[in-house]
Amino acid sequence: MPKIHTTGRNSSSSSSKPGLIGRRYIRMVGHEGIQAERMGVYVEHPEKAIEGYSAYKHMDGDWYLYYYKRNKFWFIGSRIGKRAGWLYVQSEEKYPDSITKPWRYWDDNGKKWLVDKKIACVHVIASELTSSQAKRKNVLVKSEPQIDTTTLQAKRLPRRHSADDILHGDIFADSELKESWFAALFTLYSSNPDF
């Protein structure tokens, strides 16, 4: 596996976050070249987090999507915490599906790193997983979504809501919870300070 040579201080320490309920699913999309097998769904493993950044394991392969904080890289590689992998992007984003910079992939034939602007990470909810993926994770599914990599920016889920969104009840606008009892209760409590 190729290694990226960089400089900087070593500030690597491991932290875990046991007890988190649910896991995030990230789908890598867009690359059809030599590293195409690295595309697919990655499952969050918060217990393998490094300095607050979760690691994600590929559902079908033995490799990870992880953050290398020393040089601010997100990697796809076989060993969490190593400055080596098959794909990488330099970004300080906390979540890989918030990354907007272009990814680089290792070209085994040319022995060099190449840019692929089509590569992206997309947040996936459990109900969007394929049947074979769901069977391994005991998840109910509908069907495989078709992801258009040219419009990924519009499909990305918002990571944070502003104070105005929360105060005005718009926090559930694009959510499956929009019509739920929880959203109604939240709206009631947030709009009435006497409660």
Side-chain angles (χ1 to χ4, degrees):
M1 184 176 344
K3 199 173 195 182
I4 301 234
H5 299 284
T6 56
T7 59
R9 290 186 359 217
N10 185 357
S11 60
S12 170
S13 69
S14 178
S15 68
S16 61
K17 297 184 178 185
L20 289 180
I21 297 172
R23 298 188 186 264
R24 297 182 80 234
Y25 295 88
I26 301 294
R27 185 186 310 269
M28 292 293 297
V29 297
H31 183 68
E32 298 174 357
I34 198 163
Q35 300 297 347
E37 70 179 317
R38 313 289 178 219
M39 301 294 103
V41 176
Y42 289 77
V43 181
E44 180 183 33
H45 286 269
E47 69 278 5
K48 295 182 180 188
I50 296 176
E51 295 187 29
Y53 288 82
S54 285
Y56 302 78
K57 184 172 185 321
H58 196 278
M59 287 183 80
D60 298 321
D62 196 22
W63 49 84
Y64 297 87
L65 170 62
Y66 59 91
Y67 191 71
Y68 185 74
K69 194 166 186 176
R70 179 177 172 188
N71 298 107
K72 302 173 183 156
F73 288 151
W74 277 96
F75 276 105
I76 293 182
S78 60
R79 293 176 39 198
I80 297 171
K82 298 296 179 186
R83 189 184 63 212
W86 298 284
L87 294 104
Y88 82 94
V89 63
Q90 189 167 18
S91 173
E92 294 183 60
E93 293 292 344
K94 181 81 172 178
Y95 301 101
D97 49 310
S98 297
I99 297 169
T100 58
K101 294 181 178 179
W103 283 76
R104 296 180 181 269
Y105 68 95
W106 180 250
D107 178 7
D108 289 328
N109 298 328
K111 304 293 183 209
K112 61 183 175 180
W113 290 98
L114 300 174
V115 174
D116 186 340
K117 293 181 180 182
K118 294 179 185 174
I119 298 173
C121 297
V122 180
H123 180 104
V124 179
I125 57 175
S127 63
E128 292 179 343
L129 298 175
T130 64
S131 298
S132 62
Q133 293 163 337
K135 286 176 188 170
R136 286 193 297 280
K137 297 297 174 189
N138 296 323
V139 182
L140 295 175
V141 295
K142 297 173 187 170
S143 63
E144 175 68 21
Q146 297 299 313
I147 297 174
D148 178 7
T149 58
T150 60
T151 59
L152 284 175
Q153 289 300 90
K155 292 182 183 249
R156 291 180 192 228
L157 298 177
R159 295 277 49 98
R160 303 280 186 252
H161 292 280
S162 70
D164 287 340
D165 288 345
I166 293 170
L167 290 174
H168 295 94
D170 293 338
I171 192 169
F172 299 105
D174 297 325
S175 169
E176 293 176 354
L177 296 174
K178 182 177 182 180
E179 302 296 325
S180 71
W181 65 267
F182 181 77
L185 188 62
F186 180 85
T187 303
L188 176 69
Y189 279 103
S190 63
S191 65
N192 190 345
D194 296 332
F195 279 111

